[in-house]
Each structure stands twice: as structure tokens, then as C-alpha cells.
Amino acid sequence: MPKTTTGRAPASGTRRTMTAAARAAAKRAERGHREPAAPEPTVAGRTVLIEAPKNGWEDPPEPSLEEFEEFEEFEENASEDGGQPHRRRLLLTAVLGVLLVAGLVAVAALGWQYWDGRQTESARAQALTAARKAAPVVLSYDHRRLDKDFAAARTHLTGDFRDEYGKTTKTVVGPTAKKYRGVVKATVAAPTTGAPSASIVSASPDRVVVLLFVNQVTESTQVSGARVDLNRVRMTMTRTADGWKVSAVDAL
């Protein structure tokens, strides 16, 4: 007689179904026990407390020495690459500034030298002419018109020398000329070939020293006839508001 399985088959399928469901439930329970529940999201107006893990929060790993050295090298290269054009611009600006200042100073110096040179050249010519004109008047006198001659001479003088000349002619030259009937006539020597009668010793825009060759003819009761003296005279000429005047006379 053949076997029948009518009553057993449903029971076996049910056991298998129950067993799979139990295993799935056990696994879910195990995961729920091992995995902490996800924190609830923060909701506006509420404070959510998150419980720290049992072992504490883990600090991020510190960089290794090699990583740190690579980072420093990267920063140094970036600084050199990015700062080099800036330093070059600063250096170029500084150099251009120095060149500009130096150029302005050079232009000012050249301009001043040019102006000073022009002024000095003009002073040389003017002072030389004034000295040639003043020498015969200052170095001449006649006992018959001393006051007039001395007054004429003082118009060519300036400064302390003018005062000194006035005192000397009044106390020494005048009385001596009257006593011995002195007459002195001075003239600037005529230039000879290769030897000028007047030359410039030194010059600046306001002061010029002139060397003159002067012939003086002297007559008095102390000498027989006329005596001729060939003198070298150094005259210092100074610029004044009234033109070039004699500020010193030295016999050489």
C-alpha cells in the first residue's frame, strides 16, 4: 500500500518558515545590541544631547615628520614663487627711486654749476674793467687838490677799506703831500707781447682778485726830477649794489 504525505508536508514547511523568521529576528536583535542607535537630528528650538562613546572621542592622527617636512617645503616654495615677483617689484621701485633722486641732484648740480660758471665769467670781466678804472684814481693824488682827489678815490672803495683809506689819507698821506708838495700819477701799464698788464688771480660771482702792473710817477721836493716806480698791485674787487668796488689793495 503506498505511503501518503498529506498530513506531514505542511508541518515541515511551517517549521522551516518559523526557523528562518527566528534567525532573522535574532540577527536584528544582535545588531541592535551591537550598533548604537543613530542620534536624533537637531531640531530648531531643542537641545539634543549626544552621549560620548565609552572609550572617549578619538583625536585625529598627528601628521608624521615626513608629512610635516613636505608641508614646510610646499609653503617655502609657494612663498618663493609667489613672493619673488613682489620682491622684484619692490627692488625695481627702490632702484628707480634712487636713480630719480640721483638724476634730480645731478641736474640741480649741473644747473647750479652752469649758473655759477656764467656768473663767475661775467664777474671776471666786470671786475677787471672796474679795477683798471679804479687803480689810477685810488693810487694818484696831487698836493694842490688833495680833498678832491681823495674824495674821487673813495667812490671806488667799499667796506672797511674805504674807512681805512679815509683815515690814512687824512693823517699820513695828506700832511706829507702838502709838506713836500707831492704829486703821484698812476697808470696801468700797457700790455706787452705775451704779458698782459692785468690778470685775474681768483674769481667768484661776488669777489674777484685782480693783479695789475701799475706805473707810478712821483714828484716832490725830496727827489730831483720825476721818479718812476714799476709796481705790481693786487686789488680785491667786491660786488656791491653800486657795482664792483675795491675792498683791498696790496703792493707786491
Side-chain angles (χ1 to χ4, degrees), residues 157-164 240 245-247:
L157 310 181
T158 188
D160 295 338
F161 183 66
R162 177 186 172 94
D163 299 334
E164 181 183 349
T240 70
K245 303 292 183 180
V246 181
S247 56

Side-chain angles (χ1 to χ4, degrees), residues 194-207:
S197 60
S199 60
I200 303 298
V201 177
S202 64
S204 67
D206 298 320
R207 184 176 181 274

Side-chain angles (χ1 to χ4, degrees), residues 13 16 36 79 88 106 118 164 171-172 178 203 206-207 210 249:
R16 288 195 298 269
S79 176
R88 288 178 179 175
R118 291 291 300 271
E164 181 183 349
T171 59
V172 178
K178 289 180 178 180
D206 298 320
R207 184 176 181 274
V210 181
V249 175

Side-chain angles (χ1 to χ4, degrees), residues 107-236:
V107 169
L110 290 176
W112 183 86
Q113 290 178 357
Y114 175 78
W115 178 86
D116 186 72
R118 291 291 300 271
Q119 291 293 105
T120 300
E121 189 63 28
S122 176
R124 290 167 62 95
Q126 294 174 8
L128 184 58
T129 299
R132 284 180 174 273
K133 184 178 179 181
V137 180
V138 174
L139 301 177
S140 301
Y141 58 86
D142 188 327
H143 70 94
R144 292 165 294 192
R145 53 175 187 272
L146 290 177
D147 292 341
K148 181 180 179 181
D149 290 344
F150 294 156
R154 284 196 299 270
T155 63
H156 294 275
L157 310 181
T158 188
D160 295 338
F161 183 66
R162 177 186 172 94
D163 299 334
E164 181 183 349
Y165 176 86
K167 294 177 182 179
T168 301
T169 54
K170 183 177 181 180
T171 59
V172 178
V173 179
T176 302
K178 289 180 178 180
K179 180 178 180 179
Y180 298 109
R181 299 182 180 180
V183 177
V184 178
K185 185 177 182 180
T187 58
V188 177
T192 59
T193 304
S197 60
S199 60
I200 303 298
V201 177
S202 64
S204 67
D206 298 320
R207 184 176 181 274
V208 178
V209 178
V210 181
L211 179 62
L212 299 166
F213 290 88
V214 178
N215 296 330
Q216 284 183 306
V217 179
T218 303
E219 297 178 356
S220 72
T221 58
Q222 295 297 104
V223 296
S224 57
R227 187 184 67 197
V228 179
D229 297 316
L230 305 179
N231 300 321
R232 290 188 306 164
V233 178
R234 183 172 59 201
M235 303 186 72
T236 301

Side-chain angles (χ1 to χ4, degrees), residues 22-36:
R23 286 198 301 269
K27 289 182 179 181
R28 285 195 299 271
E30 183 180 358
R31 286 197 299 271
H33 176 71
R34 289 184 302 173
E35 297 178 0

